[in-house]
Amino acid sequence: MPDIFSTQELPDGFNYPDGFLRAVESGLVGLEPWWLLEGRDLRTRMEGLRERFPDRRLVPFSRREDNDDVACWDLDSDTVRVIHDFAAPGRENRGEYASFYDWLRAALEDFIEHE
């Protein structure tokens, strides 16, 4: 299993959705241009998002390799948001999905188009 946040590291009241855990356990973690954040990269990105967007409660899980987009759970809206990291606060939103599976469908489309 990849090195993702443990239950103790996740914000209070948040657990990874079953669909995300299923995708990770299945090895569905590298859909070029999207890649699973794990280990030090995951923890560094979480810390950076907290510093850059202190008014947001975001839990990152994937990064796009060809720009600064990061897929995150937005704990305030209970959605998946694509955040353009390093953008000025208020200009970071690049997309919103109702669920992880909705984001995953879009990531598959990105995979097909990225060829």
Side-chain angles (χ1 to χ4, degrees):
M1 177 99 165
D3 182 12
I4 58 176
F5 290 128
S6 67
T7 304
Q8 295 79 18
E9 291 175 290
L10 290 170
D12 289 340
F14 176 76
N15 292 306
Y16 284 124
D18 290 340
F20 172 75
L21 294 174
R22 181 175 168 233
V24 169
E25 289 169 2
S26 298
L28 190 60
V29 296
L31 293 172
E32 188 179 14
W34 290 98
W35 298 97
L36 179 72
L37 283 164
E38 55 184 316
R40 181 183 294 167
D41 290 339
L42 172 62
R43 286 157 183 87
T44 299
R45 185 66 66 150
M46 177 77 148
E47 188 176 311
L49 287 168
R50 285 180 180 161
E51 290 172 8
R52 290 183 285 281
F53 307 106
D55 296 333
R56 307 288 303 262
R57 295 187 327 129
L58 303 168
V59 178
F61 64 88
S62 188
R63 66 170 177 82
R64 192 171 163 120
E65 69 182 3
D66 57 351
N67 61 34
D68 289 326
D69 288 355
V70 180
C72 309
W73 284 282
D74 184 333
L75 304 186
D76 293 322
S77 67
D78 198 30
T79 61
V80 171
R81 296 247 185 200
V82 174
I83 300 295
H84 190 68
D85 203 357
F86 306 104
R91 302 184 65 105
E92 71 273 16
N93 291 318
R94 296 285 292 248
E96 179 179 8
Y97 302 91
S99 71
F100 170 74
Y101 282 136
D102 290 332
W103 173 84
L104 184 59
R105 285 182 189 97
L108 284 168
E109 287 296 322
D110 290 342
F111 175 77
I112 293 166
E113 293 174 14
H114 193 71
E115 183 177 22

